[in-house]
Amino acid sequence: MISSVKLTASSFTALDLTTRKLPFSKPRFPSQPTTQNAKQSLNRSFSSQKPIYISSIENFALPTVTQKRGTECNAYEDDRSRPLEINIEFPDELTRFEAAQRLKIRIYFATWWALNVVFNIYNKKVLNAFSYPWLISTLSLATGSLMMLISWATRIAEVPNTDLEFWKRLFPVAVAHTVGHVAATVSMWKVAVSFTHIIKSGEPAFSVLVSRFLLGEMFPVPVYLSLLPIIGGCTLAAVTELNFNMTGFMGAMISNLAFVFRNIFSKKGMKGKSISGMNYYACLSMLSLLILTPFAIAVEGPKMWAVGWEKAISQSGPHFIWWVAAQSVFYHLYNQVSYMSLDQISPLTFSIGNTMKRISVIVSSIIIFHTPVQPINAIGAAIAILGTFLYSQAKQ
């Protein structure tokens, strides 16, 4: 879009303006104009008794991201040394837009990590006082579903346009999401938060193995090599974990496998569907809630929940109710922001962000819960996370 055309009146002294009006039409330039086209355009726009020559054309091609957007066209009469000042400047809208996008992504990432850290802290507090992970998982999904229904009813968020085919394709995604969610909650109930996230950093290994042996997908050699530090680091961290628990370990492993299938089903089922990341996760939460509720009742049941609730209130006081509400709200918010981030960035950038998220959760949980960590255990965790980073780079 042309923002300004600067014309200097003294530049037209050689023009015969006393006998007729100057026809001045809006200059039109093609996407990659040549010098000849520019000259013809100027000849059509200016009537002169003397020929006009193009002195210089600067930045006439489309600029790159780092270049300043602008087009300058200087011309002069053949017997005059003073050029006609004709500057056509385009505002740097692309640069401003990209800067705004980068700022938005940084805000998304910072919010995503912060919400995830808060969720893990409150989730562990709740599970330490209330040993019913199936109910806790159900409350997390129920709270998020209620929040989105209110947002749609009040028009805070746009109501998604879905059909029966959409829900059919979403169903396997919701099943995998439900299994992964419950398994991760069981893991954090039995072991330290840091240990759960160390094991969950091995998710790329499950992704490659499932894609290779079940889908027949081939990967470059560097991708397979990046799995070695992931598997080795997770193994080293597991065998040196002071509070190792097989149930907690298997919960994290099952969660990894379930989320891999969730991602595979999501890619296959959502092709051609236009729905925002926020609404997609909202629909996923609601369907997962419908799937999980009957199983939670069958495994634990209202009677066990009532006894456990009274015990938690008596031991932790009214703070326990706040912990439950906080972990449920923050669970939905951090997942919602992560899906909103995925709308704005590439899967590679998202994978790197997910790796950095785990580092922030591991470090913060060790500090807050005073989790004892041996040096060899910390080395194993570092190797696993480094392998995850190398994997994301190799996938590029």
Side-chain angles (χ1 to χ4, degrees):
M1 180 178 68
I2 297 177
S3 65
S4 65
V5 177
K6 301 178 181 179
L7 302 177
T8 306
S10 61
S11 302
F12 295 92
T13 55
L15 300 179
D16 186 7
L17 302 178
T18 58
T19 58
R20 56 177 177 171
K21 295 182 179 179
L22 174 64
F24 186 82
S25 60
K26 183 179 180 181
R28 299 179 180 178
F29 297 97
S31 59
Q32 292 183 345
T34 62
T35 304
Q36 182 179 1
N37 292 337
K39 181 177 179 180
Q40 292 174 356
S41 176
L42 287 173
N43 287 337
R44 288 195 302 267
S45 302
F46 302 102
S47 175
S48 173
Q49 293 177 348
K50 299 178 181 179
I52 297 178
Y53 294 89
I54 301 298
S55 172
S56 63
I57 300 176
E58 300 176 2
N59 299 329
F60 224 86
L62 292 175
T64 61
V65 175
T66 57
Q67 292 176 333
K68 178 181 178 181
R69 297 190 68 188
T71 301
E72 295 184 0
C73 177
N74 297 325
Y76 66 93
E77 296 177 357
D78 61 343
D79 63 344
R80 295 178 62 89
S81 59
R82 183 175 182 180
L84 299 175
E85 297 182 2
I86 306 174
N87 294 325
I88 304 174
E89 299 178 357
F90 295 92
D92 203 354
E93 296 178 357
L94 179 60
T95 302
R96 289 198 299 269
F97 174 77
E98 291 183 348
Q101 285 296 103
R102 287 193 296 270
L103 177 61
K104 182 192 295 186
I105 292 171
R106 291 190 183 100
I107 294 174
Y108 277 165
F109 269 38
T111 306
W112 175 21
W113 297 341
L115 293 174
N116 190 263
V117 168
V118 174
F119 158 72
N120 279 277
I121 292 172
Y122 280 112
N123 191 49
K124 186 60 177 177
K125 286 178 175 290
V126 171
L127 291 171
N128 286 340
F130 187 74
S131 303
Y132 298 95
W134 287 78
L135 176 60
I136 297 304
S137 302
T138 306
L139 291 176
S140 301
L141 296 175
T143 302
S145 300
L146 179 61
M147 291 170 61
M148 288 308 302
L149 288 174
I150 295 175
S151 299
W152 291 340
T154 57
R155 301 297 178 181
I156 296 177
E158 182 182 1
V159 180
N161 184 18
T162 62
D163 52 18
L164 182 60
E165 182 65 22
F166 170 83
W167 293 101
K168 287 181 179 179
R169 294 186 178 186
L170 188 65
F171 182 78
V173 183
V175 171
H177 179 73
T178 303
V179 174
H181 175 42
V182 175
T185 306
V186 170
S187 177
M188 284 189 280
W189 168 45
K190 287 294 186 180
V191 297
V193 175
S194 56
F195 180 70
T196 297
H197 280 273
I198 291 171
I199 302 303
K200 284 179 66 64
S201 65
E203 184 176 325
F206 285 85
S207 179
V208 171
L209 295 176
V210 169
S211 300
R212 174 66 183 89
F213 293 106
L214 295 184
L215 303 179
E217 185 177 352
M218 299 295 294
F219 296 93
V221 175
V223 173
Y224 293 109
L225 294 178
S226 69
L227 301 184
L228 297 178
I230 294 176
I231 298 174
C234 289
T235 302
L236 183 61
V239 298
T240 58
E241 174 65 25
L242 295 176
N243 300 315
F244 180 84
N245 179 276
M246 182 57 69
T247 302
F249 174 76
M250 291 305 300
M253 297 288 281
I254 293 172
S255 177
N256 282 340
L257 187 61
F259 285 144
V260 167
F261 279 105
R262 180 192 65 178
N263 297 337
I264 292 174
F265 293 146
S266 181
K267 290 177 181 178
K268 287 187 173 182
M270 292 301 108
K271 288 183 179 179
K273 296 293 182 180
S274 57
I275 183 172
S276 67
M278 179 176 64
N279 282 336
Y280 178 81
Y281 180 71
C283 295
L284 181 62
S285 294
M286 293 175 187
L287 192 53
S288 295
L289 176 63
L290 295 177
I291 297 171
L292 176 59
T293 301
F295 287 96
I297 295 174
V299 173
E300 295 173 348
K303 292 183 179 179
M304 297 177 63
W305 294 339
V307 174
W309 188 272
E310 291 179 2
K311 181 180 178 181
I313 292 293
S314 63
Q315 292 180 349
S316 304
H319 295 292
F320 174 74
I321 300 177
W322 159 249
W323 295 347
V324 173
Q327 74 88 28
S328 300
V329 171
F330 283 110
Y331 172 79
H332 175 78
L333 291 179
Y334 101 76
N335 277 286
Q336 179 176 293
V337 173
S338 71
Y339 274 83
M340 292 169 64
S341 302
L342 193 56
D343 268 352
Q344 305 290 329
I345 60 179
S346 66
L348 173 64
T349 306
F350 183 83
S351 177
I352 296 174
N354 200 38
T355 303
M356 301 304 294
K357 176 204 74 175
R358 297 206 186 282
I359 295 176
S360 62
V361 172
I362 291 171
V363 173
S364 62
S365 63
I366 290 175
I367 295 174
I368 292 174
F369 294 107
H370 306 287
T371 306
V373 179
Q374 293 180 327
I376 191 67
N377 184 264
I379 293 174
I383 293 174
I385 293 173
L386 175 62
T388 305
F389 178 77
L390 295 176
Y391 165 82
S392 64
Q393 295 297 308
K395 282 278 287 184
Q396 185 178 12

